[in-house]
Amino acid sequence: MPELPEVETTLRGISPHIKNQVVTEVIIRHPTLRWPIPTRLPELIQQKKLLSLSRRAKYLLLKFDTGTLLIHLGMSGSLRIISKESPIQKHDHFDIHFANGKGIRLTDPRRFGAVLWLGESPHQHSLLANLGPEPLSDALTASYLYGKSQNKKVCIKQFLMNQQIVTGVGNIYCTEVLFDSGISPLRAAGNISLSRYQRLVDNIKKTLSLAIEKGGTSLKDFVGSDGKPGYFKQELNVYGRSDQNCINCQSTLTTIKQSNRTTVYCKQCQT
Ligand SMILES: [Zn+2]
């Protein structure tokens, strides 16, 4: 699944090609994504200039003077820069073409992605209104998390993956930062000291920054925004290493399911 670093990398990859360009054509091939692509989208953005591109959590926001278009990559989606002649593949659901001859194309085999029109107050939309702070912003601090965690019995893994607490700490990175911080994924969020939250916050920022720097993790069904398959593979210490040895203590890593998501951790190093 594309996580925050992949979305940030996509944003950085596509922006220089299409920012300030006028939309010439919107092509909806398969409108049935997670929610239907609005049929009136072509009339809303055709002949309009794309004023800016930004990211909130894992949502890409394309701002026009008529309103904001949201794109989410879902479980398996990718956006890449194409030309008008780029051959259409099976899972290419949606294109926006621009006056400079470039376009963006959403490819999404599992169709959990989304293309939604948010109108003029995007941050009031139900998908965005209740999101927690961005992990790389100054708003994410140890004292913020510590405050939110008071009296919470929910385990720390679920607490960190709750988008209303903090956005963009997905399964891969959550698993990794808990290992890096020596915190058991099963520990109750309300039973973690401020100093351990400090270590956790430092590791969240470090890990996500590093992943963005490296262009995201390698994902088998992800296509880079420049059309090259995949991203640089990132070193992962625990995620994807079920039954292998812990890099610190050599004991066998433990794999569990939490809210239907796989967690790998070291029972010796994470308490
Ligand atoms: Zn260990």
Side-chain angles (χ1 to χ4, degrees), residues 179 245-251 253 266-270:
F179 176 78
N245 293 342
C246 171
I247 58 163
N248 291 338
C249 73
Q250 308 307 321
S251 62
L253 295 172
C266 177
K267 278 184 175 170
Q268 305 300 320
C269 298
Q270 294 174 252

Side-chain angles (χ1 to χ4, degrees), residues 8 22 24 73-75 78 86 90 115 120 137 159 176 192 194 203-204 215 232 238 259 264 266 270:
E8 179 66 27
V22 171
T24 51
L73 300 176
M75 306 284 287
S78 63
S86 298
K90 189 176 172 194
V115 176
E120 287 177 23
S137 74
F159 179 73
E176 289 295 312
I192 293 173
L194 181 60
N203 282 323
I204 289 171
F232 302 108
V238 277
S259 303
V264 185
C266 177
Q270 294 174 252

Side-chain angles (χ1 to χ4, degrees), residues 39-98:
T39 48
R40 64 193 178 107
L41 190 59
E43 62 194 77
L44 285 165
I45 63 171
Q46 263 166 212
Q47 307 313 319
K48 303 291 183 209
K49 189 192 270 189
L50 174 54
L51 302 173
S52 66
L53 297 92
S54 59
R55 177 187 61 71
R56 178 72 173 107
K58 296 202 291 182
Y59 300 107
L60 290 166
L61 302 174
L62 281 63
K63 188 173 188 298
F64 298 87
D65 60 12
T66 43
T68 295
L69 183 70
L70 172 150
I71 301 179
H72 188 252
L73 300 176
M75 306 284 287
S76 60
S78 63
L79 266 183
R80 61 192 196 283
I81 295 291
I82 51 153
S83 68
K84 197 94 205 224
E85 295 74 41
S86 298
I88 298 150
Q89 310 284 330
K90 189 176 172 194
H91 302 293
D92 294 343
H93 306 316
F94 174 73
D95 291 358
I96 303 176
H97 294 274
F98 295 90

Side-chain angles (χ1 to χ4, degrees), residues 33-256:
L33 301 180
R34 182 165 179 186
W35 300 287
I37 300 176
T39 48
R40 64 193 178 107
L41 190 59
E43 62 194 77
L44 285 165
I45 63 171
Q46 263 166 212
Q47 307 313 319
K48 303 291 183 209
K49 189 192 270 189
L50 174 54
L51 302 173
S52 66
L53 297 92
S54 59
R55 177 187 61 71
R56 178 72 173 107
K58 296 202 291 182
Y59 300 107
L60 290 166
L61 302 174
L62 281 63
K63 188 173 188 298
F64 298 87
D65 60 12
T66 43
T68 295
L69 183 70
L70 172 150
I71 301 179
H72 188 252
L73 300 176
M75 306 284 287
S76 60
S78 63
L79 266 183
R80 61 192 196 283
I81 295 291
I82 51 153
S83 68
K84 197 94 205 224
E85 295 74 41
S86 298
I88 298 150
Q89 310 284 330
K90 189 176 172 194
H91 302 293
D92 294 343
H93 306 316
F94 174 73
D95 291 358
I96 303 176
H97 294 274
F98 295 90
N100 64 352
K102 293 184 176 177
I104 50 172
R105 175 168 289 168
L106 176 68
T107 304
D108 186 2
R110 297 181 64 183
R111 295 200 191 187
F112 281 105
V115 176
L116 288 177
W117 183 251
L118 303 189
E120 287 177 23
S121 309
H123 294 284
Q124 310 297 313
H125 190 275
S126 58
L127 286 175
L128 305 185
N130 299 312
L131 291 173
E134 287 288 320
L136 295 174
S137 74
D138 292 342
L140 180 67
T141 61
S143 52
Y144 165 79
L145 279 186
Y146 183 71
K148 285 278 179 190
S149 73
Q150 292 312 290
N151 303 315
K152 293 261 165 63
K153 291 191 170 65
V154 63
C155 61
I156 183 65
K157 174 118 187 281
Q158 275 143 300
F159 179 73
L160 288 178
M161 287 181 66
N162 178 346
Q163 300 298 301
Q164 296 187 9
I165 302 292
V166 53
T167 63
V169 184
N171 196 42
I172 296 175
Y173 296 107
C174 194
T175 302
E176 289 295 312
V177 298
L178 287 172
F179 176 78
D180 295 342
S181 309
I183 298 172
S184 167
L186 296 168
R187 178 171 286 275
N191 190 17
I192 293 173
S193 66
L194 181 60
S195 63
R196 294 187 95 193
Y197 271 116
Q198 186 62 57
R199 201 182 317 155
L200 194 56
V201 165
D202 292 346
N203 282 323
I204 289 171
K205 291 178 191 282
K206 192 179 80 184
T207 302
L208 289 175
S209 305
L210 197 67
I212 290 169
E213 226 171 82
K214 291 191 174 181
T217 52
S218 175
L219 293 164
K220 63 178 185 304
D221 49 11
F222 201 84
V223 180
S225 56
D226 56 358
K228 290 180 200 142
Y231 276 120
F232 302 108
K233 193 169 173 62
Q234 198 187 359
E235 289 276 303
L236 297 174
N237 291 325
V238 277
Y239 186 85
R241 296 192 66 243
S242 294
D243 302 323
Q244 296 183 36
N245 293 342
C246 171
I247 58 163
N248 291 338
C249 73
Q250 308 307 321
S251 62
T252 306
L253 295 172
T254 302
T255 304
I256 54 171

